[in-house]
Amino acid sequence: MSARRSVTILGATGSVGRSTLDLIARPPERFEVLALTANRDAAGLAEAARRVGAKRAVICDSAFLPTLEDALAGSGIETSAGPEAVLETATLGADWTMAAIVGAAGLGPTMAALRSGRTVALANKEALVSAGALMTAAAKESGATLLPVDSEHNAIFQCFDRDRPHAVRRILLTASGGPFRTLSLEQMRGVTPEQAVAHPNWSMGAKISVDSATLMNKGLELIEAFHLFPLPPEAFDVLVHPQSVIHSLVEYVDGSFLAQLGAPDMRIPIAHTLAWPERMETPCERLDLVRIARLDFEAPDETRFPALALARQALREGGARPAILNAANEIAVAAFLAKRIGFLDIASIAAETLAAYAPPPPRTIEEVLEVDRAAREASDGIMRRFAH
Ligand code: NDP
């Protein structure tokens, strides 16, 4: 990597945000940090802003602004607060913006970054699931480069021949199967949030960890992949691969399969987007294939993991369905983490919300946000019947 790049990290205090900061802090002269954002973690935001010499630190929840100001007193780092300040931060024109806010809350800021026409590294899959067509259209219009951070999509991006999409037969997204891969439905009924967030291979935020346990994450990733790679819905499939060594595969019409392999460490795909189209060193563990020795594969079981089937259906039906599925899932996962509903109720609530609410396809971001709001309200009502 040669030229110095200016960067902004939306969601800097989260799992992806911290991994990004770790890479940026290693060769600090290569990066100029324009801004970091968080929701409520003022202490974590202030510490990160001082460490990487950020120009600006923005907290979404204004109630935490005094804490942020105290923590940054005397540093010369500018502070601001509120959703509008986060939106404005996304338009500062950084060469490279990491979109790593969790959930549909990241939609507005991610869209704003895309509209500024620079490079956006996208981790915030819920935004793409809810408004994929609008986001890719915005990127096309502004000339922004959208680089996938999700390990599967980053793997596909590295293997996919963008000049010859017609030569691709199928895309296989790999899934570890999560912590409950071998449990029966009956055994899954009583699992706790603590068990669900203990992912066997990856260290991630709570929401995506639960999504990995239900396989909703893989379902959302199918929809995400559909928006990133120009193939029909039926060309995307899921392959359970418990070791998480192969991060996804692209099958070509001649029978060739191209795959990307690497240690299960998010700093590898993040580094790929940070240096793209060049490459940069990372401190990540190297794969020792002799020690790994074997790679296993199995088909996903949609009876035990109905969330995957729901996502496939939402992908096929299109329109508002993916945004409704995403909103209902966010509500249900938050309720599960708060121990108000059981693990299996997450997919049931998503299914009931999809059955109860069928608006026309949203044509603008405002309409997507309205679908998201109404779907949350509907699933909140449905959830009350499941709550204990
Ligand atoms: P975390 O929960 O660890 O972090 C989320 C970040 O978003 C935090 O900085 C949080 O701030 C901020 N945030 C939360 N809610 C809001 C809000 N309403 N407005 C503004 N900022 C908000 O999530 P992850 O890092 O695990 O995931 C981030 C995104 O990346 C998700 O979309 C996830 O699906 C995707 N992803 C994550 C992977 C991983 O390995 N973790 C892998 C691939 C994709 P605060 O800390 O103050 O709450």
Side-chain angles (χ1 to χ4, degrees):
M1 275 179 76
S2 38
R4 196 161 189 242
R5 304 185 91 180
S6 59
V7 309
T8 285
I9 305 175
L10 305 170
T13 46
S15 167
V16 171
R18 288 194 308 272
S19 293
T20 309
L21 285 162
D22 181 70
L23 290 167
I24 283 171
R26 281 170 199 271
E29 65 288 350
R30 285 185 181 171
F31 304 104
E32 179 194 26
V33 180
L34 292 191
L36 303 179
T37 80
N39 191 28
R40 293 180 176 161
D41 183 2
L45 180 61
E47 185 278 319
R50 281 183 185 270
R51 182 154 47 94
V52 296
K55 290 191 159 36
R56 189 192 283 209
V58 183
I59 194 98
C60 188
D61 187 331
S62 306
F64 293 83
L65 181 61
T67 319
L68 182 67
E69 285 171 342
D70 283 352
L72 287 176
S75 67
I77 298 169
E78 204 183 301
T79 55
S80 56
E84 287 304 318
V86 175
L87 262 185
E88 195 221 316
T89 299
T91 62
L92 288 179
D95 296 327
W96 185 92
T97 298
M98 165 56 80
I101 292 174
V102 63
L107 179 52
T110 303
M111 269 302 270
L114 282 171
R115 285 180 177 138
S116 74
R118 311 304 275 267
T119 297
V120 177
L122 183 84
N124 178 212
K125 68 187 80 183
E126 297 89 352
L128 200 61
V129 165
S130 302
L134 294 166
M135 284 178 64
T136 50
K140 207 168 166 188
E141 197 182 320
S142 71
T145 304
L146 183 57
L147 298 175
V149 168
D150 222 343
S151 59
E152 295 77 1
H153 305 75
N154 185 267
I156 298 162
F157 185 79
Q158 295 193 45
C159 301
F160 191 88
D161 186 344
R162 278 175 293 284
D163 296 327
R164 291 168 203 81
H166 52 274
V168 174
R169 184 168 168 265
R170 213 162 46 123
I171 284 181
L172 285 169
L173 288 112
T174 51
S176 70
F180 309 140
R181 180 174 61 88
T182 57
L183 298 196
S184 67
L185 265 177
E186 208 35 56
Q187 288 170 315
M188 275 190 267
R189 199 172 299 285
V191 296
T192 63
E194 291 75 15
Q195 291 170 306
V197 298
H199 195 278
N201 305 334
W202 296 93
S203 162
M204 308 182 285
K207 192 262 178 185
I208 184 175
S209 297
V210 175
D211 286 348
S212 297
T214 58
L215 288 202
M216 182 65 88
N217 182 49
K218 212 47 54 180
L220 298 178
E221 287 179 4
L222 280 173
I223 301 171
E224 185 184 7
F226 169 74
H227 290 295
L228 291 170
F229 304 100
L231 296 178
E234 58 279 9
F236 298 89
D237 220 335
V238 174
L239 179 66
V240 175
H241 163 45
Q243 291 95 347
S244 299
V245 168
I246 295 181
H247 297 304
S248 277
L249 307 94
V250 177
E251 180 188 346
Y252 285 86
V253 288
D254 61 5
S256 300
F257 284 68
L258 298 192
Q260 186 260 358
L261 287 70
D265 185 328
M266 280 307 292
R267 290 176 300 179
I268 296 175
I270 294 169
H272 176 261
T273 66
L274 197 49
W276 191 85
E278 298 180 39
R279 297 270 178 176
M280 63 186 274
E281 292 276 345
T282 70
C284 304
E285 189 191 328
R286 305 285 130 161
L287 280 184
D288 180 345
L289 290 169
V290 173
R291 189 175 54 79
I292 292 165
R294 58 178 273 184
L295 299 176
D296 296 309
F297 303 100
E298 57 193 62
D301 179 347
E302 293 187 6
T303 309
R304 284 184 303 128
F305 297 97
L308 186 55
L310 283 177
R312 276 190 207 279
Q313 194 184 339
L315 171 60
R316 276 195 308 273
E317 292 172 356
R321 314 304 281 160
I324 297 169
L325 175 72
N326 179 66
N329 182 57
E330 285 192 32
I331 291 288
V333 169
F336 171 67
L337 285 169
K339 303 195 174 184
R340 293 174 59 206
I341 61 167
F343 180 74
L344 297 181
D345 298 336
I346 297 172
S348 305
I349 290 165
E352 286 202 26
T353 308
L354 281 163
Y357 178 49
R363 289 156 305 175
T364 61
I365 286 295
E366 292 67 34
E367 287 180 9
V368 173
L369 292 172
E370 176 51 26
V371 167
D372 177 77
R373 191 204 58 73
R376 278 166 201 270
E377 199 175 284
S379 51
D380 208 44
I382 290 164
M383 195 197 58
R384 284 174 213 284
R385 283 196 283 105
F386 289 83
H388 40 247

